[in-house]
Amino acid sequence: MKFVDFLKDNIVLLDGGTGTILQARGLPAGVAPMLWNESHPEEIVRLHKEYYDAGSNVVCTNTFGADSLHLSPEKLESTVKAAIANARQAAKESIGTQEKFVALDISSTGKLLKPLGDLDFEEAVAVFAETVKFGAKYGADLIFIETMNDAYETKAAVLAAKENCNLPVFVSDAYGAEGTLMTGADAAAMTALLEGMRVAAFGANCSLGPRQLFPVIEKMLEVSSTPILFKPNAGLPHECCGETRFDVTPEEFAQDVAAMVKKGVRIAGGCCGTTPEHIRLLKKEIEGLKPLPITDKNISIISCGSGVVTFEDKPVLIGERINPTGKKKLKAALKDNDMAYILSEGVRQKEAGADVLDVNVGLPGIDEKAVLTNVVKELQAVIPLPLQIDTVNHEAMEAAMRIVNGKPLINSVSGKEESMRAVFPLVQKYGGMVVALTLDENGIPATAEERFVIAKRIVETAKEYGIRPCDLLFDPLAMTVSADKNAAKITLKALKLISENLHIHTSLGVSNVSFGLPERGNINAAFLLCALENGLSAAIMNPDSREMMAAYHSYLALHGMDENCAGYIDYMANHPAEAPAEKTAKPAASGNFSGDLQTAIGRGLKSDAAKATRALLESTDALTVVNSEIIPALNEVGKGFEQKTVFLPQLLMSAEAAGEAFAILKETMKGQENVPKKCAFVLATVKGDVHDIGKNIVKMLLENYGYEVHDLGKDVPPETIVDTVLSVNAPLCGLSALMTTTVPAMEETIALLHEKAPFCKVVVGGAVLSAEYAQRIGADKYAPDAMETVRYAEAQTASDF
C-alpha cells in the first residue's frame, strides 16, 4: 500500500527517540548517531525493530544531521543508503502485523539563512536536495523534515523535497515555550506557509513535553485543512543517578498525546526521551479510535516569517507606496539601487498602519527579476509584514515567490487564459493568495455582471490547480470617475455580486477612482467607505493619507471592529486635522528611541544608522555615541525581544544596524590606546554538535555590547575550550548544544572548566536544556535566549570584572 493511501483512512503511529537510546547503548558522547548506520548497523536495526514491534507505522531513518555541509558526497550517500537499508531490515524482522513505512529523516542545517546568517537560501535548497535525492534513490516511502526552528529554512527544505522527488512530505517544526519558532513564526504562520506549499502533513516535535505543546497543536487543528502530526519530547531532561532522564512517564506521555489524537491529530509519535515503551502505550491508548475527518477551514490567510494577516476579522490595508508609478523618488531609488530609501518607505507604511506591503519595481531599463528579488529580500529582513508581489513579468514573479519568506499575496492573475496558465502553476508550487482581476482577452467589461462572469471562470480554472476560493482575492477594478461618471457605481456593484454570491474576498486599488481630480484624498476616502459597505476586504492605498485612514478607522468604530473605539481615538490623537492631507508627520519607530541613530537601530536600517553615526561624530566623540546612543538603542530592542514584542529577525537586524555604526566608530577610534574594552568571552558549540545558530546570535549581540568575543565554532573538544579560556583569561564562557546526545560533552566541558579555570563563569543554552538541568550539570547560568546571555554578562561585568 502507498503511504498516501494509508494516511487517508488511518491514524498513523510514528516512532520515538533515537539519539538518547543509542547513547544508553554505548554511543560515545560527541559521536553523531548517524555514523552508527554503517559502523553498528545491528544496533540501528534493533532499535527500529523495537519501534515496529511496539506498533509504529513509520520509522524515521537514523539520518538526523546527515547533509552535504557535514558529510562528503560519498559519505552522505553511503549513510543514507545504509540508514534506509537498516529500517527496511527492521521492518522485515518485526513481529508487528501493521502497515510499515520508512521515512527519510531530514533536519536543520544548524545555520541561519541570509541575511540573519551566512547560508544563502538557494544554497540551503541545494544542501537539502542532495539528501532528498539519495533518499528517493534508495527507496524511502516519504520525507520527514523535522526539528526545524526557522520558517525560511523550512521552506528551503520543502522546496528541495518537492523538486527532487515525488514522495509525500511531512514537516515538523520545533516550537518554544512561547508557541513560536526561534525566528518568530507561530502555528498560524507555519500553517499558512506549509499548506500553501501543499505538504502532506505538518505539526510540531521536540523542544517540550506534550502538554506544553498543546496550544500549538490546538491552533493548528483550528486553522489547518491538512493532517496534523504531533511528536513531542518526554518532557524536559534532568539528571538522576548519573543518567539523563525525562520528566514525563510513558503512561503520562501516552495519555497526553492520545488526548490530541482524540481532538483530530492524525499522525503521532515521540521525540527526545521517548522509547518503544512510550509508543507501545500510545498505541494502546488510541487503539480503536477512528480518525476525525480533515475539514476545509476555508481561511484566507497570508504570512511573513513571523506572523499572519487574515481577511476574516477586519478590512486589510495594503500599502501602495513601493510602486514607481507617479513617484519620482522611488524611480530614482530603483535605478540607483538606493535600498535605504525603499526600506524607509516600507518602514513608514508599516508604522502608519499598513498590514501588507505591495512591492512593484516595474520600470523600463532595469532587470525586474533581479531588482524585485533583491527588494523582497531586503524588505522581509527588516519589516515583519506579508508582501504583495506585484508584477506582470512571470519570470520575476516566480523568482520572488521562490525566495519570499512566508505565504505572499500575488498581484495578479486575470481572466485571460494565458495569464491563468502562467500564474496558477506558480501558486500551486510555491503557495500564495492571488489577486484576480476581472478582465479577460476582451478587456475590462463595461458592466458589473460581465465582471462577475469572469470571476466565476477564474474560480473554476483555479480549481484545476487545487487552488481554493479562499486563496483568491478578486479585484473588480476601480476606474476613474472623471472619465466615466458611472465607473464607481459599476465597481461597487461588482464588489457586492462577488462577495455575496461567490463568498470570496475582494480588493481594490482605491485611489484609481480619483485620477485627474483635485483634492483626491476626499474622493478616495468617500469611495473607500462605499466599497467597504459593499463587501471590500482589502484596500490598496496610501496609509499616509489622513482622509483615507480617518475614514478607515471611522468605519471600524461604527461596525464594532474597534473595542472602545481605541484605534480611532489613538489615530486622531496622533494625526490632528491640521496636518497636511497626504503627508502626515513621520511615524516614530516602535519603542522608546531618541534621535536618528537610535531610531535607525530600532528599525534595523543599516544605511540610516551609518548616516546618523557620521552626523553625530561631527559634534560628539565616539565613546559618547556608543554609551548614549548605541547601547541604549540595543537595550530597548532587547527589552522588546524579552517582552515578545520584537522577534529574533528584528533583533538581529537591529544588531546589524548597530554593527554598521560600530564600524564607522572603530575607524574614528583607530590609534586611541585608551579606548576601554569589556572582558573576553569565549563561545563554542560543544563536541559532537554541529548546530551553531544560537551561538552565532549570541556572538553578534555580545560584540555589539563591546565584548571581546572568541568564537571557537562548533564541535569543539573540551580541552580546546579550556585552553582558550586560560590563554585569553576569559571570565565568561558560553556553551551551546542542540542535540540531547551532546549534553554529556557539555557537562564534561563544564567540569574541566571548573577544574582548570575556576575564575570563569559558564553560561549554557540550547533547546535540550532547562534551568534545572543546567544547574545539575554545573553551569553557572542557563540562558534561554541570546539577550539573557547579554544581560548576565552585563551584570557580571558590572559586579565582578
Side-chain angles (χ1 to χ4, degrees):
M1 178 182 288
K2 288 187 177 180
F3 180 73
V4 288
D5 296 323
F6 182 75
L7 178 61
K8 288 177 185 176
D9 302 311
N10 293 277
I11 295 169
V12 177
L13 196 59
L14 304 173
D15 59 3
T18 297
T20 45
I21 295 177
L22 293 180
Q23 205 157 51
R25 295 178 179 180
L27 178 73
V31 174
M34 62 181 168
L35 299 179
W36 268 29
N37 286 306
E38 295 178 274
S39 65
H40 294 71
E42 69 286 349
E43 289 294 343
I44 305 304
V45 172
R46 173 189 167 196
L47 178 56
H48 289 336
K49 178 180 179 298
E50 288 171 355
Y51 279 122
Y52 280 131
D53 288 348
S56 294
N57 299 112
V58 176
V59 158
C60 293
T61 57
N62 178 35
T63 48
F64 186 97
D67 59 48
S68 58
L69 290 178
H70 304 111
L71 299 173
S72 68
E74 297 77 18
K75 185 62 176 175
L76 176 60
E77 180 170 10
S78 67
T79 297
V80 173
K81 180 181 179 181
I84 294 174
N86 291 336
R88 289 288 180 212
Q89 183 63 32
K92 184 178 179 181
E93 294 180 9
S94 171
I95 60 173
T97 59
Q98 76 278 14
E99 292 284 344
K100 303 181 189 72
F101 304 93
V102 174
L104 175 70
D105 187 277
I106 293 178
S107 59
S108 169
T109 61
K111 290 179 171 289
L112 276 175
L113 273 58
K114 293 179 180 178
L116 306 180
D118 59 2
L119 185 63
D120 183 76
F121 179 81
E122 291 297 346
E123 289 176 355
V125 174
V127 167
F128 290 122
E130 290 304 308
T131 306
V132 169
K133 289 174 187 175
F134 291 136
K137 178 179 178 179
Y138 292 108
D141 297 306
L142 64 146
I143 307 296
F144 193 101
I145 300 167
E146 61 138 317
T147 321
M148 307 295 279
N149 49 31
D150 172 35
Y152 207 26
E153 188 184 29
T154 301
K155 178 174 180 176
V158 173
L159 268 181
K162 291 182 67 173
E163 291 178 343
N164 291 280
C165 74
N166 295 315
L167 300 175
V169 179
F170 280 14
V171 178
S172 188
D173 291 284
Y175 293 81
E178 300 297 327
T180 62
L181 306 189
M182 180 183 68
T183 48
D186 60 13
M190 293 311 298
T191 297
L193 172 65
L194 295 171
E195 283 200 341
M197 298 188 75
R198 291 165 171 71
V199 300
F202 63 89
N205 80 294
C206 205
S207 301
L208 302 165
R211 294 191 180 185
Q212 289 76 22
L213 287 172
F214 277 2
V216 171
I217 297 300
E218 287 168 344
K219 185 63 178 178
M220 289 179 176
L221 290 171
E222 176 190 336
V223 300
S224 172
S225 307
T226 301
I228 297 301
L229 69 86
F230 190 27
K231 206 174 191 283
N233 286 352
L236 294 172
H238 63 273
E239 189 178 281
C240 181
C241 304
E243 295 181 356
T244 299
R245 297 183 182 177
F246 288 76
D247 58 13
V248 177
T249 68
E251 292 79 10
E252 293 168 334
F253 177 89
Q255 291 167 8
D256 289 345
V257 175
M260 289 295 102
V261 173
K262 292 171 184 176
K263 288 189 174 184
V265 163
R266 182 61 70 88
I267 304 139
C271 200
C272 300
T274 60
T275 67
E277 179 65 5
H278 290 76
I279 301 305
R280 185 186 70 78
L281 292 176
L282 175 56
K283 180 179 186 297
K284 185 178 177 181
E285 284 287 333
I286 65 175
E287 207 149 29
L289 290 179
K290 294 199 175 197
L292 296 183
I294 308 297
T295 59
D296 190 343
K297 304 306 188 300
N298 198 37
I299 298 173
S300 296
I301 187 171
I302 54 176
S303 68
C304 61
S306 60
V308 300
V309 169
T310 66
F311 292 75
E312 314 301 324
D313 301 325
K314 67 177 185 177
V316 171
L317 300 185
I318 303 171
E320 68 178 9
R321 298 295 300 167
I322 305 178
N323 184 323
T325 304
K327 303 179 184 72
K328 292 181 180 179
K329 289 185 178 179
L330 184 61
K331 287 180 180 178
L334 290 170
K335 289 179 179 178
D336 299 338
N337 194 32
D338 182 0
M339 202 56 63
Y341 178 82
I342 296 168
L343 289 176
S344 69
E345 281 294 302
V347 170
R348 181 187 183 87
Q349 291 183 94
K350 186 255 183 187
E351 293 174 352
D355 302 304
V356 182
L357 296 182
D358 181 73
V359 186
N360 184 317
V361 302
L363 203 61
I366 68 169
D367 182 343
E368 185 176 358
K369 176 181 174 182
V371 173
L372 182 60
T373 53
N374 187 41
V375 171
V376 166
K377 287 178 181 178
E378 293 285 344
L379 285 170
Q380 69 187 11
V382 173
I383 303 168
L385 293 181
L387 302 180
Q388 174 170 275
I389 297 169
D390 186 354
T391 179
V392 295
N393 181 328
H394 296 140
E395 185 180 353
M397 181 183 287
E398 177 169 15
M401 291 176 71
R402 185 175 180 86
I403 55 88
V404 72
N405 188 4
K407 178 185 177 183
L409 259 180
I410 307 302
N411 192 1
S412 56
V413 72
S414 72
K416 293 180 179 180
E417 193 71 16
E418 181 183 10
S419 174
M420 291 188 285
R421 301 305 174 189
V423 174
F424 285 152
L426 301 182
V427 178
Q428 184 181 45
K429 178 178 180 178
Y430 298 107
M433 186 174 178
V434 197
V435 176
L437 308 180
T438 55
L439 60 85
D440 61 13
E441 288 81 359
N442 297 315
I444 301 173
T447 69
E449 289 78 9
E450 290 173 295
R451 297 182 195 184
F452 178 70
V453 169
I454 293 174
K456 289 198 295 183
R457 188 164 68 247
I458 292 173
V459 171
E460 291 306 311
T461 306
K463 287 180 182 177
E464 296 175 19
Y465 296 88
I467 298 170
R468 300 173 297 169
C470 63
D471 281 328
L472 297 174
L473 186 67
F474 275 103
D475 183 343
L477 302 166
M479 309 299 289
T480 177
V481 291
S482 63
D484 178 357
K485 67 177 183 179
N486 293 313
K489 290 167 60 179
I490 294 168
T491 299
L492 294 173
K493 185 176 181 181
L495 267 178
K496 196 165 187 176
L497 282 171
I498 292 169
S499 61
E500 291 186 354
N501 292 280
L502 296 180
H503 307 290
I504 297 178
H505 291 294
T506 55
S507 171
L508 279 177
V510 176
S511 59
N512 292 346
V513 77
S514 64
F515 280 146
L517 295 174
E519 301 294 337
R520 294 180 60 193
N522 296 322
I523 294 286
N524 293 341
F527 182 58
L528 173 62
L529 287 174
C530 292
L532 291 170
E533 291 292 354
N534 281 275
L536 183 67
S537 310
I540 304 175
M541 55 176 273
N542 177 11
D544 273 340
S545 166
R546 187 184 184 280
E547 292 94 339
M548 296 183 76
M549 291 300 288
Y552 173 75
H553 284 289
S554 299
Y555 175 87
L556 297 184
L558 293 171
H559 284 75
M561 300 177 183
D562 184 3
E563 192 70 31
N564 299 318
C565 299
Y568 176 85
I569 292 169
D570 179 68
Y571 183 82
M572 292 305 166
N574 289 287
H575 300 80
E578 61 270 16
E582 288 286 342
K583 204 73 174 176
T584 59
K586 187 175 183 179
S590 302
N592 185 24
F593 299 103
S594 173
D596 289 345
L597 179 54
Q598 288 193 26
T599 298
I601 292 172
R603 289 171 167 166
L605 300 176
K606 293 185 286 187
S607 296
D608 286 10
K611 181 179 178 181
T613 302
R614 292 190 182 94
L616 281 171
L617 286 174
E618 293 178 4
S619 58
T620 309
D621 67 272
L623 288 178
T624 300
V625 173
V626 172
N627 295 322
S628 299
E629 299 287 340
I630 297 177
I631 297 301
L634 288 172
N635 281 336
E636 186 67 20
V637 176
K639 189 191 306 179
F641 179 73
E642 292 162 339
Q643 295 172 351
K644 309 303 177 186
T645 58
V646 170
F647 293 107
L648 182 63
Q650 289 74 52
L651 176 70
L652 293 182
M653 294 313 296
S654 290
E656 290 273 6
E660 288 288 312
F662 271 120
I664 293 167
L665 294 177
K666 285 177 183 177
E667 190 67 29
T668 303
M669 297 162 75
K670 271 186 179 178
Q672 298 182 27
E673 296 180 2
N674 62 339
V675 176
K677 290 184 178 180
K678 292 181 180 176
C679 65
F681 198 125
V682 174
L683 287 176
T685 299
V686 298
K687 182 167 179 58
D689 205 313
V690 295
H691 300 83
D692 59 359
I693 293 176
K695 173 186 65 63
N696 291 343
I697 295 167
V698 171
K699 174 187 176 182
M700 180 184 293
L701 293 180
L702 286 173
E703 286 178 339
N704 278 332
Y705 273 82
Y707 289 88
E708 180 187 316
V709 179
H710 297 264
D711 180 9
L712 304 183
K714 56 196 175 187
D715 191 17
V716 185
E719 298 78 12
T720 302
I721 296 170
V722 172
D723 289 347
T724 305
V725 167
L726 291 171
S727 68
V728 301
N729 195 35
L732 290 165
C733 178
L735 303 177
S736 174
L738 177 71
M739 302 165 64
T740 53
T741 54
T742 59
V743 173
M746 178 179 280
E747 183 177 9
E748 180 186 347
T749 304
I750 293 170
L752 196 61
L753 279 167
H754 286 338
E755 177 189 346
K756 303 291 187 182
F759 58 86
C760 182
K761 302 286 187 183
V762 183
V763 189
V764 298
V768 295
L769 297 175
S770 64
E772 178 192 2
Y773 196 26
Q775 184 178 15
R776 285 180 179 273
I777 63 175
D780 297 290
K781 172 68 177 177
Y782 165 67
D785 56 53
M787 277 309 304
E788 185 67 20
T789 303
V790 172
R791 300 296 189 217
Y792 179 73
E794 291 288 270
Q796 294 299 312
T797 303
S799 60
D800 296 337
F801 311 128

